Amino acid sequence: MIRLNDILDQVSQYNPEADLDLIKKAYVFSAKAHQGQTRRSGEPYLVHPVAVASILADMKMDISSIVAAILHDTVEDTVATLEEIEQLFGAEVRKLVDGVTKLGKIKFSSNVEKQAENFRKMVLAMAQDIRVILIKLADRLHNMRTLEFMTEEKQVEISKETQEIYAPIANRLGIQEMKVELEDLAFKYLNPEMYKGIASQIEKRKAELQSYIDEVKDLVSKKLQEHHLPGEVSGRLKHYYSIHRKMEHQNITLDEVHDIIAFRIIVDDLSQCYAILGLIHSLWRPIPGRFKDYIAMPKANNYQSLHTTVVASKGERVEFQIRTREMDEIAERGIAAHWKYKEKGAIESKDETKFKWIRQLLEWQRDLNEPAEFMDTVKLDLFTDDIYVFTPNGELRELPQGGTPVDFAYDIHTDVGHSCVGARVNGRIVPLRYQLHSGDAVEIMTQKNGRPNKDWLKFVVTSRAKAKIRQYIRQEERDTACTIGRQLLEKECERYGVSISKLLKSTEVSQYMQEINTKDIDGIYVAIGYGKMMPLDLISRFLPKEAVEAVEKKEAKEHVPTTIGRFVSKIRGKSSRGLVKVNGISDVLITFGKCCNAVPGDAIVGFVTRGRGISVHTIDCPKILASDSARTVPLEWDTSSGLTRNARIKVICVDRPGLLSSMSEAITDQGVNIKEASARAMDDKKAINIFEVEVRDTAQLRHVMNALEKIKGVIQVERVRS
């Protein structure tokens, strides 16, 4: 357990002039505020903020950050106020504590909305002071280290958020040490069987691998001395999540992963990096395509190093990273390594291009109102590696790996993206879905009447392109719905003998607009066009009840068909009862979108269709994110129904007799029925299996997937959404 004196010793080592009394004062304040509170582990709550402060002290952070870490939960979890914090510790500490504090007092309609709004708040605070996110990362790291005391459901939820948001942020900030630990801890809870399998096999080979590391270190060190090249050589095993990703991407077993060892050589100056690279290549044969010069072309997070992979003496692949001491410090501690305390958390102008992703996050939080779309965009924007391409004028542009000409077009300007009809790469015409590579020269061909295609969403990778295409499509759908809605309302007004201009100017309609939270008449037209409300809903507020009934009686006598029936009456009584509730009603016509195949336990939303009732989608379904929010309705699962949903699981395994039988048995042992199964052998002695199974919810599906992962010979298990 970390103690106050441990932190004081840490801080005084790298900052002898630090005001240690302020840290002591914060410790006393936090101890009193959290008195009587305990963590799930049973430890006093104070253990957590002190541990967070210690992580920041390891990163050699300034006093304000250390103090804010000790106080970071006092406002959220105790009766302490921000005003007290400012009075006792100053405005700077208050700002940091406020930036880290969640929006705990506000009620949100869903977990996605809560996550999105908390993240928006953190983005705004982070843009003003980058230390906010460093404190939050330290907070998340300690929570992940003690996650074993949470329920399985919370472990999965927190680990998923860590994997999708916090580890990528640590990577973007260049804090590799923290990124690696966060990824491994999240992997441990999201895929426990695979984690245990890798850990177990690595442990068995640990003595052998360590012996090999020592052998290579000695050889390289001797060669450096012979050539009078100073350098510190170290070797390590790659972290478990990195090994798992390699297995997934290449569809291989752990036995087939040949480069699980990486060596690092730290030198004094830049010229020595390239000299040692030449020496390594003279000792062993380099593998073509595996050399990366991140010194000449640094990563977006300011990471610099030479990477090369060679075939060593026993035929195994070994990676070497060669860099200076300064590069190494930046690689491990990222932005904290070149911290300027006097700047009070502001990013220096010379560093702005390295952290332009923060400005992008700011842009998204301003432009994207839908919580699910905002979080989808954030995850997409954080998770990618980068490539570098050129405009026809020679301007360098940075895009995520897998970027296409359409992504490039939207990166230039929204209008260029909207009017893009073709592209030339290195002078050759390529398809719009072509994946660009570093060094490509890209020219976009446009037409004045060009417009985005919905199919572009299937291959674009940048958050900007996705957001702009969705925005265009939504606006187009909205304009169409507005026209349809206006025509329907005009027909109904004519039917009931009502002046549409008087109706729209009436106080009844003004009140109704407030009730449905729309600011203008177009909002009413759109709601009618989408089928979310009926024209008669509006007219019946303006006309007396008797006048409405008189028209309907007259039409009934004359057998005049109505222009439009009520939406709810059309869809009630035809449903798969009990599985999903719409505003508490369970007898509505529902269909499940094949694009995302929702299962009880998934966060869901309804999409109002024309004639097919309500279509059920996961809240992060690409189809929903590309649709107008006016066309969605909140849904909830009816957990008491006991009904099941079909889910699809893809299993990649080695191709050997009896394995399909073992997988089928593992599924049925979980009490799950297999509806359909298919298997296909590949040329590389592997097989792809698809199982369609009946499950109660996502928890049961997770148990099935875990059971499959335990089977020897299974390489990868994943849920298939479409």
Side-chain angles (χ1 to χ4, degrees), residues 101-118:
T101 301
K102 296 192 192 80
L103 306 174
K105 309 294 186 213
I106 302 173
K107 297 295 181 187
F108 297 104
S109 60
S110 70
N111 284 335
V112 174
E113 183 185 355
K114 183 177 181 180
Q115 184 191 46
E117 294 313 311
N118 278 319

Side-chain angles (χ1 to χ4, degrees), residues 24 155 518 641:
K24 295 174 186 175
Q155 286 173 351
T518 186
S641 69

Side-chain angles (χ1 to χ4, degrees), residues 373-434:
E373 184 177 2
F374 173 62
M375 292 313 297
D376 179 65
T377 302
V378 164
K379 292 168 189 176
L380 185 73
D381 207 49
L382 287 175
F383 230 142
T384 51
D385 293 325
D386 297 309
I387 60 169
Y388 300 90
V389 295
F390 295 92
T391 68
N393 297 329
E395 180 189 347
L396 188 67
R397 290 276 174 165
E398 185 182 308
L399 289 175
Q401 200 163 39
T404 66
V406 177
D407 294 295
F408 178 85
Y410 278 103
D411 190 62
I412 299 294
H413 195 276
T414 301
D415 291 341
V416 176
H418 284 347
S419 57
C420 170
V421 293
R424 286 189 183 90
V425 174
N426 304 324
R428 182 172 58 90
I429 293 178
V430 298
L432 289 178
R433 62 172 62 244
Y434 174 84

